[in-house]
Amino acid sequence: MKYVSTRGQAPDLTFEEAMLTGLARDGGLYVPAEVPVMAANDIAALAGLPYEEVAFRVMRPFIGDSFTDDEFRAIIARAYEGFGHAARAPLVQLGPGHFLLELFHGPTLAFKDFAMQLIGQLFQAALERSGQRVTIVGATSGDTGSAAIEAFRGLDAVDVFILYPHGRVSEVQRRQMTTPAESNVHALAIDGHFDDAQARVKDMFNDFDFRDGVRLAGVNSINWARVLAQVVYYFASAVELGAPHRKVSFTVPTGNFGDIFAGYIARKMGLPIDRLVVATNQNDILHRCLSTSEYMPDGVIPSISPSMDIQVSSNFERALFDAYGRDGKAVAQLMDELKSGGFRVSQGALQALREHFDSGRCDEDETRATIKRLQATTGELLCPHSAVGVKVAEENLKPGVPMITLATAHPAKFPAAVEEAAGIHPPLPPRMADLYDRDERVTRVPNDLAAIETLIRERIAK
Ligand SMILES: *Cc1c(COP(=O)(O)O)cnc(C)c1O
C-alpha cells in the first residue's frame, strides 16, 4: 500500500513512513494511492464483533507490510484498553431514526482518543524497532493536545510539544494538557488563535533544517494514521444499524474535516453511507464553501464549541484532491490562492464534493437550545460540539435512512457552556475526578516561529 501527496511533488511512502512523516515535504497531505474496497459479505461479517476486531479488519488493508497481523492486533488491544466503556463507541437512540454515537469514553473524553491512543502505540512499536527518537509537535484547539499528551506521556522514544491558543481552551482541556508530570510532554500556550498555532506547526514542518535536526513528527489530524483510526467507528456503528443491508447517514461536528473525511473513506471502501453531513458552528467556512463554492476565511469568532473554531480546515485538502480528479498541481494552486485570501472551487469539483457531502450551520443560541431540549426529551446531556451535530442532523433526517450523529466530546469537558444551557453541572467521570487538584505546568510562547523553535531545541537537548 503506497501513500501519495495531495500536491503531487513529494515521494510516495509506505504506511509507516507516512505516519512518522505527517505533513508531506511539498506541503501536501498523504492519502492512499488507492482505497481498498471491502466486499459486502466482509462488512456483514463485522456484526457482533468486539470493537477491536472490527478495527483490525477495517484497517488491516491500509497497513501493508508495516506491521505483522500479531503486532497490529496487540497495538489495537493496547490502544483501547483504557477506555471507560466496554463497547468503546456505544450507540444510543435520540428519536425516531436518529442515533448518537458516543465517542467520548476515552481517557481525555473526546473522540480524538480513538486516533491518538492508536497512533501512540503505533509510534512506539515503530520506533522501538528502529531505535529512533522523534519530536512530535502539534497544534490544538483543545482536544487534540490533551489526547496527544495522554497517548504519548512517558514513552521514551518521543518528546511531545503541544501548542494551544492561550486563554481559548476550556479549563478541563487545559488541565488535561498541563497536569501530566512526565518530562517528555510539554504544553505551550501561544499568544494567538488556533489557526496561528496550526500555522506555526506547518512552518516548522516547512523549515527543513529544523524538521530534520529535531526529527520532527506530526500527530495533528493531517496524519493519515489518525484518519484511518476514525474510519473504524463508521463501520462499527453502521453495521449495528443494519449495514450493509441498509443505508445509513452520518452528521459530523466538523472543524479540521478529519473526522468526516474518515466517513468519506468508509464510503469509498464500500460502506453504504447515504449522506455525510458537515455540521459547523458559527465559524461556517465549510458550510459556505459547500453552498457557494467560495472558500474565504474571514476570521475566527470564538464560540462555545471551541474545537470547531477553525477557518483553515486542513483535511479539506484531501477531499479537494479527489474532487479535482487527484490533480496535485490544481490542489497546490488552490492552496497558493488561499495564502493570498481564498479560492473558489470549480463547478466540476463542487459537484463532486456534493455527491458525498451536505452541510449545515448551528449558531450559539441554537446550540444552547439544543443542549437544553435534548436533555429534557432524552436525558442525554450533549457537549456543545455534539449539540451542533444534533441540530444539523435533525434538519437532514430522511425517512427510512437512520441518521447517526457523532458525539465528539463528553459534556464534562465543557461544563460552563453545558450548565448555562441546561442548568445542570456535568460531573467528570470518577476516574478523573482529581483533575482540578493536580499541579499545572505550561510555558507561554509568542506567536513567533524562531522563538518556538529555539525553545524546542533547548528542551530536547536536556
Ligand atoms: C476536534 C473536534 C471536532 C472537529 O473534528 P475535526 O476532525 O477537526 O473536523 C469536533 N468536536 C470536538 C469535541 C473535537 O475535539
Side-chain angles (χ1 to χ4, degrees):
M1 168 71 65
K2 280 280 164 204
Y3 289 84
V4 300
S5 165
T6 50
R7 303 204 190 163
Q9 299 293 313
D12 294 357
L13 300 180
T14 66
F15 173 80
E16 181 176 333
E17 290 165 341
M19 172 184 88
L20 293 171
T21 301
L23 194 66
R25 289 181 96 87
D26 58 4
L29 280 59
Y30 277 103
V31 287
E34 248 173 84
V35 172
V37 171
M38 209 163 161
N41 286 346
D42 293 334
I43 297 175
L46 300 175
L49 296 178
Y51 187 85
E52 283 79 351
E53 182 60 23
V54 176
F56 177 80
R57 296 191 189 184
V58 169
M59 293 191 284
R60 184 73 194 91
F62 291 90
I63 305 293
D65 301 329
S66 292
F67 298 96
T68 66
D69 285 1
D70 285 351
E71 282 174 328
F72 194 44
R73 278 211 160 85
I75 284 167
I76 293 170
R78 283 196 297 273
Y80 299 120
E81 71 190 3
F83 276 52
H85 197 298
R88 310 311 184 214
L91 206 50
V92 302
Q93 186 158 10
L94 295 181
H98 191 184
F99 298 82
L100 191 73
L101 184 60
E102 292 185 350
L103 299 175
F104 51 68
H105 296 286
T108 69
L109 306 180
F111 83 93
K112 294 193 171 72
D113 289 323
F114 278 88
M116 210 62 87
Q117 286 292 321
L118 184 81
I119 220 180
Q121 296 302 327
L122 287 167
F123 264 69
Q124 183 174 20
L127 293 170
E128 248 175 21
R129 199 160 55 189
S130 66
Q132 289 171 346
R133 204 187 155 75
V134 297
T135 303
I136 287 171
V137 297
T140 185
S141 51
D143 292 330
T144 301
S146 47
I149 284 175
E150 192 59 45
F152 286 94
R153 59 194 289 187
L155 299 188
D156 18 287
V158 181
D159 271 295
V160 189
F161 293 84
I162 297 297
L163 275 84
Y164 70 83
H166 177 72
R168 293 179 197 277
V169 299
S170 83
E171 184 171 4
V172 175
Q173 289 176 319
R174 190 191 72 233
R175 286 183 168 274
Q176 285 181 334
M177 292 188 275
T178 59
T179 57
E182 288 85 351
S183 62
N184 73 320
V185 299
H186 313 264
L188 309 179
I190 187 172
D191 289 317
H193 285 280
F194 167 70
D195 287 340
D196 297 313
Q198 182 163 256
R200 296 298 77 73
V201 168
K202 281 199 172 166
D203 291 346
M204 284 185 247
F205 275 91
N206 288 321
D207 176 348
F208 291 148
D209 268 354
F210 179 77
R211 177 173 180 166
D212 297 337
V214 305
R215 295 193 56 87
L216 209 59
V219 297
N220 259 18
S221 67
I222 55 140
N223 193 302
W224 169 257
R226 280 192 51 192
V227 174
L228 179 58
Q230 294 166 178
V231 175
V232 175
Y233 46 70
Y234 285 89
F235 275 89
S237 59
V239 166
E240 213 171 311
L241 293 185
H245 310 297
R246 70 168 175 180
K247 287 189 169 190
V248 300
S249 291
F250 288 90
T251 299
V252 186
T254 296
N256 250 327
F257 211 79
D259 206 4
I260 194 155
F261 189 76
Y264 167 84
I265 293 293
R267 193 171 196 255
K268 282 182 74 162
M269 288 176 72
L271 188 66
I273 296 177
D274 186 36
R275 306 303 301 166
L276 286 163
V277 185
V278 175
T280 73
N281 66 20
Q282 60 193 4
N283 296 292
D284 60 353
I285 184 162
L286 287 165
H287 175 52
R288 279 184 285 126
C289 179
L290 288 166
S291 313
T292 70
S293 85
E294 274 185 36
Y295 191 90
M296 291 284 167
D298 59 1
V300 170
I301 315 162
S303 78
I304 55 171
S305 42
S307 300
M308 296 155 68
D309 287 350
I310 278 168
Q311 285 290 331
V312 178
S313 185
S314 308
N315 279 291
F316 194 48
E317 178 167 343
R318 288 188 159 115
L320 289 170
F321 182 59
D322 275 4
Y324 276 84
R326 306 210 126 204
D327 178 352
K329 279 214 179 80
V331 173
Q333 160 93 36
L334 293 178
M335 295 303 134
D336 271 350
E337 289 173 29
L338 181 58
K339 276 188 200 141
S340 41
F343 57 81
R344 183 187 286 273
V345 178
S346 73
Q347 276 313 305
L350 187 64
Q351 218 168 15
L353 288 169
R354 285 185 181 158
E355 275 172 33
H356 304 278
F357 301 106
D358 289 324
S359 65
R361 156 194 216 276
C362 175
D363 70 23
E364 298 285 274
D365 286 343
E366 291 169 326
T367 305
R368 282 185 283 262
T370 304
I371 294 173
K372 186 177 164 81
R373 177 167 53 82
L374 267 286
Q375 202 286 321
T377 57
T378 69
E380 184 84 15
L381 204 48
L382 299 170
C383 92
H385 310 77
S386 309
V388 166
V390 165
K391 177 72 170 60
V392 171
E394 287 173 342
E395 294 163 357
N396 285 272
L397 291 176
K398 222 162 86 174
V401 184
M403 174 66 81
I404 300 174
T405 297
L406 272 48
T408 49
H410 192 286
K413 225 170 167 179
F414 304 91
V418 171
E419 185 160 10
E420 193 199 335
I424 294 172
H425 183 82
L428 281 169
R431 63 199 155 103
M432 20 196 111
D434 68 339
L435 188 64
Y436 287 90
D437 305 326
R438 298 182 208 150
D439 288 337
E440 292 193 73
R441 191 166 55 90
V442 58
T443 308
R444 183 98 173 251
V445 295
N447 180 15
D448 177 79
L449 179 64
I452 298 168
E453 289 185 347
T454 303
L455 180 116
I456 292 176
R457 280 206 161 98
E458 283 170 5
R459 290 273 180 94
I460 64 171
K462 275 185 192 151

